[in-house]
Amino acid sequence: MKVGDTHYRSIWFDEGDDQVKIIDQRWLPHEFRVVPLVSREDFATAIRDMWVRGAPLIGATAAFAMAREMKNDPSDTNLDEAWEELHATRPTAINLRWALDQMRGLLRGLPEKERAEAAHVRALEISDEDVECNRQIGLHGLEIIRKIAAGKKPGEPVNILTHCNAGWLATVDWGTATSPMYHAVEAGINVHIWVDETRPRNQGAQLTAWEMDSHGVPHHLIVDNAGGHLMQHGQVDLVIVGTDRTTAHGDVCNKIGTYLKALAAKDNNVPFYVALPSPTIDWTVRDGVAEIPIEERDDDEVTKVQGKLLDGTVTQVQICPDGTPGGNPAFDVTPARLITGLITERGVCEASAEGLAKLFPDRVVNGQQKAAG
Ligand code: MRU
């Protein structure tokens, strides 16, 4: 998407510099910084410390990391060590394991001298595939928005609530939850977005609000607790969120707080959709609440917030008494029964094993979903 007049992806390979580059998201919205990632440690730190974040982008970053590793040392030992180190960076987003498995699966079958080139090509493909998946998600999601818009009075916007940042910054481009919004704007549909701030790291306030502003999408920032009230008062027509891991049965793991939005949406008959590219589906997991590992992050993220002082300095402030212990589960699981539908690159389906099997018959063998690959 565009930043000013320039089209950016969130990660790219700069041929001139022979370097992988990212937008360092820790500084947004106040500063736009592009940094190169060179060593394995650079890539691992960028994922762990959330210079890049969002499940699809984490996957793409890991793929580029493996490609760079193969340039340095294409041995099996290095392949396995890199897989382990990168996999340990963030436990919940399944796209990380998906991308690492894609790379290792391909490279294991090749002689060492061919690995660097093959890995580079596959990493670029994984990026491009993500962009195309998200474009398709946008087109399918657009039809949902179009139907709601058709029932509106002239001039009335379709009010969409989103949580966290499942925008282009969370993917390689377009975003998952935001892609239908961007497509709706392009189609001339009047949309208005409620952007949840998304404590503790405020990805909504810092990233989604920035994206919406950059692309001229009408929006308001709301506190995380406002969603239920707005739904009770008919001010939310639709919720669209992203996901970090969706089970074979349609349970959705996403940023902490998503579950509460889904409960409020159910209570108020507001359609609740989840947008995802298929690498976010974990075909091995059946019960999301019981089986998905939930990342516990540093309590500093809860006890402090980052913001801009009036003099323009970006800084952190503590918001609680000295020594207050923080608890910081980063994700929660929304059971499939609370979800109206899953918006994937292949279309929209029910959040259930049957719904997913209809869209992904290639993942179903003798009535059982295939686990690997
Ligand atoms: O901790 P983050 O910022 O990596 O988490 C990202 C999310 O949870 C997003 O909401 C998103 O839905 C998943 S990525 C499209």
Side-chain angles (χ1 to χ4, degrees):
M1 304 293 282
K2 286 211 162 157
V3 180
D5 287 336
T6 311
H7 181 268
Y8 279 91
R9 287 184 172 188
S10 58
I11 189 166
W12 66 98
F13 178 69
D14 183 330
E15 282 188 27
D17 292 350
D18 188 31
Q19 276 179 333
V20 177
K21 294 196 173 155
I22 58 159
I23 299 166
D24 183 346
Q25 300 187 22
R26 292 171 303 162
W27 303 99
L28 287 172
H30 308 300
E31 288 175 40
F32 184 80
R33 291 193 193 177
V34 170
V35 293
L37 300 179
V38 179
S39 66
R40 187 202 299 175
E41 189 48 36
D42 286 349
F43 281 94
T45 303
I47 298 173
R48 190 186 310 107
D49 295 348
M50 296 176 68
W51 307 16
V52 290
R53 24 70 51 202
L57 176 56
I58 291 170
T61 307
F64 276 118
M66 292 295 259
R68 294 275 100 180
E69 276 302 300
M70 290 300 94
K71 221 176 155 203
N72 299 335
D73 171 3
S75 67
D76 279 354
T77 311
N78 194 39
L79 188 56
D80 290 342
E81 277 176 11
W83 193 102
E84 293 296 340
E85 184 176 337
L86 291 159
H87 186 246
T89 51
R90 292 200 71 189
T92 303
I94 192 63
N95 306 55
L96 174 60
R97 192 180 76 200
W98 176 86
L100 291 170
D101 283 348
Q102 286 276 314
M103 298 299 283
R104 187 163 66 176
L106 166 77
L107 298 168
R108 274 260 170 80
L110 295 175
E112 285 190 8
K113 62 177 174 8
E114 291 176 20
R115 287 182 178 177
E117 177 57 19
H120 180 66
V121 169
R122 184 67 192 121
L124 292 173
E125 276 172 8
I126 285 175
S127 271
D128 289 346
E129 285 165 14
D130 183 60
V131 177
E132 181 53 19
C133 277
N134 298 331
R135 197 181 70 80
Q136 292 295 337
I137 286 169
L139 294 172
H140 296 302
L142 169 62
E143 295 315 309
I144 296 169
I145 298 175
R146 210 191 280 286
K147 276 194 197 119
I148 295 173
K152 290 270 171 186
K153 295 196 189 96
E156 250 183 14
V158 176
N159 287 302
I160 306 173
L161 185 143
T162 192
H163 188 63
C164 195
N165 174 262
W168 72 267
L169 292 165
T171 65
V172 179
D173 209 347
W174 282 110
T176 55
T178 57
S179 185
M181 302 170 196
Y182 291 133
H183 279 87
V185 169
E186 276 182 20
I189 298 172
N190 186 1
V191 292
H192 165 264
I193 316 302
W194 296 113
V195 178
D196 270 2
E197 59 185 347
T198 319
R199 280 281 286 146
R201 284 185 70 105
N202 287 324
Q203 289 96 326
Q206 301 197 327
L207 305 176
T208 306
W210 181 77
E211 282 195 25
M212 295 292 124
D213 183 54
S214 305
H215 294 277
V217 185
H219 63 285
H220 282 88
L221 178 65
I222 53 171
V223 295
D224 290 325
N225 295 330
H229 166 80
L230 293 171
M231 290 181 204
Q232 280 178 325
H233 288 268
Q235 292 183 67
V236 181
D237 296 301
L238 169 68
V239 179
I240 312 180
V241 298
T243 166
D244 296 80
R245 190 186 298 220
T246 289
T247 72
H249 284 216
D251 295 340
V252 163
C253 182
N254 192 45
K255 182 53 57 188
I256 193 80
T258 303
Y259 174 44
L260 290 177
K261 294 295 159 341
L263 284 171
K266 187 77 170 177
D267 195 44
N268 290 284
N269 290 319
V270 172
F272 185 97
Y273 283 92
V274 180
L276 65 148
S278 54
T280 307
I281 304 168
D282 185 344
W283 300 99
T284 69
V285 166
R286 287 177 180 268
D287 180 343
V289 176
E291 294 176 57
I292 297 178
I294 301 295
E295 179 179 9
E296 287 278 344
R297 294 188 62 85
D298 199 318
D299 60 1
D300 261 13
E301 292 183 350
V302 178
T303 59
K304 300 184 176 63
V305 288
Q306 177 169 297
K308 188 168 74 167
L309 298 176
L310 294 179
D311 70 2
T313 319
V314 177
T315 192
Q316 274 198 341
V317 293
Q318 181 181 309
I319 57 164
C320 54
D322 289 350
T324 301
N328 193 6
F331 299 94
D332 61 25
V333 175
T334 299
R337 66 187 151 77
L338 300 178
I339 297 165
T340 311
L342 304 175
I343 311 171
T344 78
E345 72 271 20
R346 293 196 189 172
V348 180
C349 72
E350 187 183 88
S352 66
E354 297 72 28
L356 283 166
K358 268 188 212 148
L359 281 189
F360 297 93
D362 41 324
R363 302 302 311 232
V364 178
V365 181
N366 300 329
Q368 298 286 317
Q369 263 132 354
K370 271 202 249 175

